[in-house]
Amino acid sequence: MMTQQHPPLDGLLVADFSRILAGPYATMLLADLGAQVVKVEGPSGDDTRTWMPPVRDGVSTYYLGINRNKRSIALDLKDPDDRAAAQELARRADVMIENFKPAGLARFGLDYDTVAAGNERVVYASITGFGAGAGADLPGYDLMVQAISGLMSLTGDADGPAYRAGISVFDVMTGMHAVIGILSALHHRDRTGRGQQVQVNLLSSALSGLVNHSGGYVASGTVPYRMGNAHPSLFPYEPLPVADGELIVIAGNDGQFRRLCQVLGLPGLPEDPRFGRNQDRTANREQLRPLLVDRLRERTRDEWFRELTAAGVPCAPINTIDGGFGLAEELGLNPVVTTGGVPGVRNPITFSETPARYELPPPGLDEHGEEIRAWLRN
């Protein structure tokens, strides 16, 4: 009989002094993987507790979505006793994570240098909007970074206004970068016995996350522009009209384009010198698009989805979020987990030996305060 394995980060203590999104998302990922996360909140609680609607049983779903598997303690860092408790928590922690303004915790004796002086093994992760240098005083809101980084200049119709992404994409990305940095620093600590500070910021994550666009600018000086749903380097790679709406159709290589043309009954198109190679299709997209659309309009998106998928041509309906969850269920991905009666999204990482855990629902403010204070006094 197989015994239940402990999750991979079992036994790791994380002192979570972060709030809003990037930090709490990072610490939830760590908590799912077994870390013991103590969420330190001010007396009024994490801001996202008040970000509503939507709500579940009167609690913000924004807060619920990124705070499971944690214990909450409310500490007023201006109060000497609460400040001492926070400092003791930092002294015991394997990992401390915070997203105050740079140097914002120094007056409370919770900055990296002070914490590391009493806990040389600590991995201390700092999340900022624009780094700890000249951008230290800029507030780090995702929408600001979407604007400043150039993402909004790429989002929307070519002749329309700029749009933000539908989620706080750089908060999420920076949270994941924080986790990568923390795990790397823990590996270094395993070898050397020494902790270190890990710093991530939204703007750097954004510029990295713009991938082909930022890479194209750095390598060739090319400044990209809005193209709606089109791709600057591939065609087709966008929604195309069908009988009952639109379908995402992708030809990521010449083989996929040939298969697309076979399904559409257009076997001669790949032999046309305007369309044979990807760079040709991209350059002549305005000539190719109506030829594809003329055939695609003959059938519905569900019909094309089944036939194109069977032929190995990437395509997708444009769903609302319920459709995304529905497909994930059909595919056996089991996207929803329930933790203490509160449904949430499954951690996206699957382990063959050490599964993620779903034990504690998102905590109420100071729900575990008495328990944690007693532990810190011992």
Side-chain angles (χ1 to χ4, degrees):
M1 181 190 303
M2 292 185 63
T3 58
Q4 177 67 43
Q5 297 293 317
H6 293 293
L9 299 183
D10 186 52
L12 199 72
L13 175 61
V14 177
D16 181 7
F17 285 79
S18 69
R19 67 272 194 214
I20 315 285
L21 178 51
Y25 181 69
T27 54
M28 184 180 73
L29 295 178
L30 296 172
D32 287 350
L33 302 184
Q36 306 301 312
V37 176
V38 175
K39 181 177 178 65
V40 178
E41 302 183 70
S44 59
D46 190 312
D47 290 4
T48 59
R49 290 184 182 275
T50 67
W51 288 11
M52 54 183 72
V55 299
R56 177 184 175 87
D57 298 331
V59 182
S60 163
T61 60
Y62 201 121
Y63 170 81
L64 293 177
I66 49 177
N67 283 289
R68 69 173 169 237
N69 283 328
K70 305 177 187 180
R71 292 174 171 82
S72 170
I73 181 172
L75 296 174
D76 181 354
L77 297 182
K78 296 178 182 177
D79 178 85
D81 291 338
D82 281 4
R83 185 166 60 250
Q87 292 169 346
E88 177 62 16
L89 176 62
R91 188 188 69 79
R92 299 187 186 192
D94 295 288
V95 175
M96 177 169 167
I97 184 167
E98 56 89 15
N99 60 353
F100 285 71
K101 283 188 176 182
L105 287 174
R107 63 192 175 117
F108 304 119
L110 291 167
D111 57 297
Y112 170 65
D113 288 340
T114 304
V115 171
N119 181 2
E120 66 177 11
R121 290 175 55 82
V122 72
V123 171
Y124 186 110
S126 298
I127 300 174
T128 61
F130 299 91
D137 291 331
L138 291 172
Y141 284 91
D142 186 274
L143 182 56
M144 293 173 58
V145 180
Q146 289 196 34
I148 288 170
S149 67
L151 176 65
M152 289 181 65
S153 76
L154 302 172
T155 308
D157 292 329
D159 56 355
Y163 279 96
R164 75 174 184 91
I167 63 165
S168 296
V169 60
F170 294 136
D171 268 324
V172 173
M173 190 178 295
T174 305
M176 291 190 287
H177 286 164
V179 171
I180 293 168
I182 288 166
L183 297 179
S184 299
L186 287 170
H187 181 64
H188 173 264
R189 189 184 75 173
D190 287 344
R191 295 200 320 266
T192 67
R194 298 190 306 276
Q196 62 181 300
Q197 186 176 19
V198 174
Q199 299 185 64
V200 294
N201 68 81
L202 271 67
L203 182 56
S204 292
S205 286
L207 296 179
S208 173
L210 288 171
V211 287
N212 56 304
H213 294 299
S214 52
Y217 168 68
V218 170
S220 70
T222 301
V223 177
Y225 55 90
R226 283 192 296 283
M227 298 179 64
N229 287 315
H231 193 289
S233 307
L234 289 172
F235 185 83
Y237 191 97
E238 62 186 62
L240 294 175
V242 295
D244 60 348
E246 291 185 316
L247 181 73
I248 298 292
V249 179
I250 296 172
N253 55 55
D254 296 342
Q256 290 176 355
F257 181 66
R258 285 192 294 272
R259 291 194 292 276
L260 170 64
C261 292
Q262 289 168 0
V263 174
L264 296 182
L266 298 168
L269 284 187
E271 310 309 319
D272 189 316
R274 296 174 298 169
F275 311 136
R277 302 176 302 166
N278 173 66
Q279 55 264 49
D280 302 321
R281 294 189 294 275
T282 301
N284 296 294
R285 68 176 75 207
E286 298 309 321
Q287 291 76 45
L288 178 55
R289 184 183 288 107
L291 301 177
L292 301 177
V293 169
D294 186 57
R295 293 300 178 91
L296 286 166
R297 286 190 186 277
E298 296 176 357
R299 303 174 69 177
T300 67
R301 70 173 196 170
D302 288 343
E303 291 172 326
W304 283 126
F305 179 61
R306 287 193 298 269
E307 190 166 349
L308 290 172
T309 299
V313 178
C315 64
I318 302 173
N319 291 331
T320 50
I321 198 166
D322 55 321
F325 273 88
L327 180 59
E329 289 283 4
E330 286 181 36
L331 299 176
L333 299 179
N334 302 317
V336 178
V337 293
T338 300
T339 310
V342 179
V345 181
R346 179 179 296 277
N347 188 293
I349 306 170
T350 300
F351 295 86
S352 63
E353 296 292 334
T354 54
R357 65 177 184 135
Y358 306 97
E359 297 176 355
L360 297 175
L365 178 60
D366 202 41
E367 179 178 343
H368 307 93
E370 184 176 345
E371 168 194 342
I372 295 170
R373 285 182 175 86
W375 172 69
L376 291 172
R377 287 194 292 268
N378 292 335

